Amino acid sequence: MSALPTPAAPARRPRHPRRARRLRDLRRTGATGDKPATGGNPATGENPATGDNPARGRAPATGRVRRLRENLVAYLFLSAALICFALFAWYPIVRGVLLGFQQVTFAQPAEWVGLDNFRRLFADPLFATAWRNTGYFTLLALVFGFAAPFVTAVVLNELRRGQSYLRLTVYLPVMLPPIVTMLLWRWFYDPGPGLFNNVLGVLHLPAQQWLESEHLAMISLVLVSTWANMGTTTLIYLAALGGIPGELYEAAELDGASIRRRLWHVTIPQVRFILLITLLLQVIGTMQVFVEPFVLTGGGPDDATVTILLLLYRYAFVYNDFGLASAMSTLLFVVLGLFAGLYLRLTRTKD
Amino acid sequence: MAATEPRSRTLIAPAELTRPVGRFLHRFVLGATLTGFTLAFVFPLYWMTTGALKTSAELAEPRPTVLPSSWHPESYSEAWTNTGLAGYFLNTVLLAFGALLFQLVIDVCAAYALSKLRPVLGNAVLAMMLATLMLPVSALLVPVYLTVVDVPLVHVNLINTPFAIWLPAAANAFNVFILKRFFDQIPTELLDAARIDGAGTVRVLVSVILPLSRPVLAVVSIFAVVGVWKDFLWPMLVLPDETKQPITVALNRLAEFMPANQLLAGMVMASVPLLVLFLLFQRHIISGLTAGSLKG
């Protein structure tokens, strides 16, 4: 869902505009096109759809009018989308960058302050903490969130029964609203009646301060996040694994390759591209983690789980410092842009 | 999917599975995954649903019980009426279906124009729309918020109105892209035939294209509803008026004050529609998921 598809190639159109128009008119009027050079048959030229201008295509002037009208109709259909995109995507992109160099308060018009916001950003000790924490979260999320779905998918692909049930269950958490997931897990993590410490107790293991310990808090967040999101990745991997031609395995088997070697020399190279793409998408996604720390830890304990987006939220909506927040999102955008650029390059070379 | 069609060869050869060791291992792994998955992914849902049936005192006990010692289904109705969850639930429905309507109408029209009416600069418009997919959502959080507070040119404040959710949701390049790609496959001859029969531009869209596009419309609709239903940060920002908030935002705000069993009941209510949607439309959801990420 979050993938970035490459634009489809535009349909081939005749080079010469006048000729193109004539061909188009011929098609519209239902002529069979056996004599395209004459520019339409006046006898069948009457178009019941519009009813007017039977001689269209012969006189360039009327053709131009018609072309103009077609464009107008098309842009009428596009107008609502254009307005929405302009207001909520294109204009904010430009404004977001500009805001980083401005001081914004609701009371006064925005004031140009140059690099001031960036200077204040780098002076804030939390800024470095947030980047470090987010980097740590992303790394952990890759270790868990990358390995777990792949292993799951490989195992599921081998199972001869129960596949549809397993596929269904692994995707269930994805359908839960994130806030429900977080509230549920907050309760599991609870040091008192929480499920996890009780399970540890049954296994005679020491109880943990899941969210209150500086060392464990981030790992606890990654656990929830992985639980909630692994369904998507697993299903993508499963689809990729299903597409591997069986003959490859057969050939490897005839050559005497063990299961481990088949996995290493057939499975992984065959899905390497998908692995790479999901890796990039996961980095882009997990760098923007917000709900987990917001609901579960609020950034604590001792700022151990303050992430970039949590800090950005505080700058903008707690301190109402939109300039500072925008400077931060510009930096985030630059970093994520590198990954996105890499992604685009990869998808393009594959085509 | 699996049972009827002949399975293609996978990592482990059929011969390896028929050997006693292989058969034992397969059964062992199958059993382990079935239990593991049920415990990991179904049990939490069971825990949430039955937790709401316990008393708050039972929930606070240091030793959790798997089955409620006494059943209190009234916590669901209490949460629904006393805490006002009914209102938040209806807000969510309104937001989700409004967003669905806006997305469908606006994005279908745009995709139709780009795919079949092919205006001048159409490809440039499409490219600019797709470029927005490259942006991380969080980079636009602040500027879009400021736009909603004071819409340029018309100077309207959309805060606390559902339009603050609906309109930004309609600027969805992914929708436009998959709709356009689907419309592209519909043969032009079909549209020409309809035109000869006297259908106008709108009529062609409504009577020819839309009926043929049911699968893709289903995918777009499901993702539209699910997306808005699950959202948390954006509605929290643009709907500060508590009476207008969706259930996700309300639950987080009320989590501190509500009795534990009613909170759990509310969490179940917030999840059930999505889970039902998923069970009904799994095929569409999974195909949309893989179509979006694999065949890009």
Side-chain angles (χ1 to χ4, degrees):
Chain A
M1 174 72 202
S2 56
L4 318 172
T6 42
R12 239 206 139 110
R13 288 161 118 183
R15 273 190 101 91
H16 198 285
R18 182 100 60 85
R19 192 175 153 73
R21 212 180 298 135
R22 217 179 286 146
L23 278 174
R24 219 176 127 100
D25 287 347
L26 265 176
R27 226 179 39 203
R28 282 280 159 80
T29 50
T32 47
D34 38 14
K35 274 185 192 169
T38 57
N41 185 350
T44 57
E46 183 91 28
N47 187 343
T50 46
D52 58 359
N53 191 14
R56 128 187 36 86
R58 247 192 259 155
T62 46
R64 213 168 289 142
V65 169
R66 220 176 60 81
R67 185 84 192 109
L68 189 75
R69 212 178 53 192
E70 277 174 7
N71 268 306
L72 265 175
V73 172
Y75 272 98
L76 207 70
F77 273 89
L78 264 175
S79 55
L82 284 177
I83 292 172
C84 280
F85 272 92
L87 282 181
F88 301 107
W90 298 328
Y91 169 67
I93 293 171
V94 180
R95 192 165 177 205
V97 175
L98 294 181
L99 277 170
F101 302 95
Q102 292 174 334
Q103 190 174 18
V104 193
T105 47
F106 280 120
Q108 297 152 324
E111 199 185 322
W112 203 257
V113 291
L115 289 174
D116 205 37
N117 286 329
F118 290 90
R119 243 174 260 131
R120 286 197 296 142
L121 209 53
F122 286 110
D124 185 350
L126 265 185
F127 178 75
T129 313
W131 280 89
R132 219 175 24 241
N133 288 344
T134 309
Y136 183 48
F137 181 92
T138 306
L139 198 77
L140 280 180
L142 282 186
V143 174
F144 294 160
F146 198 61
F150 186 66
V151 173
T152 313
V154 169
V155 170
L156 284 199
N157 203 37
E158 295 312 318
L159 293 180
R160 300 298 191 256
R161 251 182 276 163
Q163 261 209 35
S164 42
Y165 168 75
L166 293 169
R167 227 188 280 229
L168 197 84
T169 48
V170 79
Y171 202 71
L172 280 178
V174 181
M175 293 308 282
L176 291 182
I179 205 76
V180 171
T181 307
M182 296 312 140
L183 291 173
L184 191 64
W185 277 65
R186 182 160 77 183
W187 195 45
F188 289 164
Y189 280 141
D190 193 296
L195 195 61
F196 288 165
N197 276 347
N198 270 292
V199 171
L200 289 181
V202 171
L203 301 172
H204 298 288
L205 292 168
Q208 301 291 332
Q209 298 280 315
W210 294 99
L211 297 170
E212 290 80 13
S213 136
E214 243 174 273
H215 306 289
L216 255 186
M218 195 57 105
I219 295 173
S220 307
L221 296 192
V222 175
L223 277 180
V224 197
S225 176
T226 308
W227 182 81
N229 297 315
M230 72 178 279
T232 316
T233 333
T234 306
L235 293 186
I236 290 174
Y237 289 157
L238 258 181
L241 289 174
I244 301 178
E247 299 86 60
L248 292 180
Y249 288 116
E250 218 155 316
E253 203 192 316
L254 287 177
D255 287 346
S258 63
I259 293 179
R260 197 185 312 159
R261 299 195 67 176
R262 268 176 261 159
L263 178 70
W264 190 248
H265 292 292
V266 179
T267 313
I268 291 181
Q270 284 289 312
V271 295
R272 196 178 50 199
F273 182 71
I274 299 291
L275 288 174
L276 214 64
I277 293 296
T278 44
L279 181 81
L280 282 175
L281 288 177
Q282 285 218 5
V283 170
I284 296 175
T286 49
M287 290 279 277
Q288 303 179 61
V289 57
F290 174 78
V291 188
E292 287 88 345
F294 183 78
V295 178
L296 289 176
T297 60
D302 203 14
D303 296 331
T305 55
V306 172
T307 60
I308 298 173
L309 216 59
L310 193 69
L311 191 60
L312 191 138
Y313 168 84
R314 282 190 198 165
Y315 284 155
F317 302 103
V318 180
Y319 311 133
N320 282 320
D321 196 336
F322 293 108
L324 199 61
S326 297
M328 187 141 176
S329 51
T330 307
L331 288 179
L332 180 63
F333 170 60
V334 170
V335 172
L336 293 181
L338 291 177
F339 285 104
L342 211 62
Y343 173 93
L344 263 201
R345 255 194 85 115
L346 281 173
T347 38
R348 199 156 291 159
T349 47
K350 206 220 174 180
D351 292 342
Chain B
M1 176 173 169
T4 48
E5 48 193 86
R7 282 183 61 96
S8 150
R9 281 287 296 273
T10 53
L11 184 59
I12 295 169
E16 282 162 339
L17 274 179
T18 45
R19 263 181 248 142
V21 183
R23 214 182 307 160
F24 171 75
L25 272 179
H26 179 253
R27 255 187 228 155
F28 176 76
V29 173
L30 179 66
T33 7
L34 283 177
T35 356
F37 273 46
T38 310
L39 272 180
F41 301 117
V42 183
F43 186 67
L45 298 182
Y46 165 81
W47 197 257
M48 181 165 75
T49 322
T50 54
L53 297 169
K54 300 172 184 172
T55 59
S56 284
E58 190 184 345
L59 282 171
E61 272 172 36
R63 291 244 160 254
T65 45
V66 176
L67 270 179
S69 53
S70 61
W71 298 75
H72 297 275
E74 68 272 12
S75 57
Y76 279 94
S77 53
E78 277 166 13
W80 183 254
T81 49
N82 297 4
T83 335
L85 282 183
Y88 299 123
F89 190 89
L90 291 179
N91 287 346
T92 313
V93 173
L94 175 79
L95 292 177
F97 284 91
L100 168 66
L101 197 72
F102 271 81
Q103 281 188 45
L104 273 188
V105 172
I106 293 177
D107 294 348
V108 161
C109 284
Y112 175 54
L114 291 172
S115 169
K116 293 301 177 200
L117 307 179
R118 299 198 137 273
V120 179
L121 293 179
N123 282 322
V125 169
L126 182 68
M128 276 179 70
M129 286 179 175
L130 289 175
T132 61
L133 282 178
M134 300 289 303
L135 282 171
V137 191
S138 45
L140 288 183
L141 195 64
V142 172
V144 175
Y145 176 78
L146 291 177
T147 305
V148 166
V149 170
D150 178 20
V151 179
L153 304 176
V154 282
H155 296 294
V156 186
N157 185 346
L158 295 179
I159 294 292
N160 281 329
T161 68
F163 290 99
I165 308 275
W166 294 341
L167 292 178
N172 186 329
F174 182 77
N175 282 351
V176 175
F177 178 73
I178 57 170
L179 286 168
K180 179 188 178 282
R181 212 170 45 168
F182 195 91
F183 293 169
D184 282 346
Q185 296 169 351
I186 297 175
T188 324
E189 289 75 25
L190 217 58
L191 309 192
D192 291 345
R195 282 189 170 276
I196 289 167
D197 287 345
T201 319
V202 177
R203 188 73 197 273
V204 167
L205 175 64
V206 174
S207 330
V208 182
I209 296 201
L210 289 187
L212 288 172
S213 312
R214 251 180 242 145
V216 75
L217 292 177
V219 170
V220 168
S221 308
I222 292 164
F223 280 112
V225 171
V226 172
V228 173
W229 199 288
K230 283 174 68 174
D231 207 359
F232 168 71
L233 175 58
W234 185 248
M236 179 175 76
L237 293 178
V238 297
L239 299 173
D241 181 348
E242 292 178 0
T243 58
K244 292 186 172 140
Q245 286 173 346
I247 194 163
T248 50
V249 180
L251 279 178
N252 182 55
R253 188 166 43 77
L254 296 171
E256 314 302 325
F257 319 109
M258 274 167 89
N261 54 359
Q262 290 187 20
L263 177 65
L264 282 167
M267 283 153 61
V268 173
M269 289 172 197
S271 325
V272 160
L274 291 184
L275 294 176
V276 170
L277 204 67
F278 174 56
L279 294 179
L280 287 180
F281 296 102
Q282 336 160 18
R283 205 167 269 270
H284 285 109
I285 291 176
I286 289 171
S287 77
L289 179 83
T290 40
S293 35
L294 287 182
K295 295 154 198 159

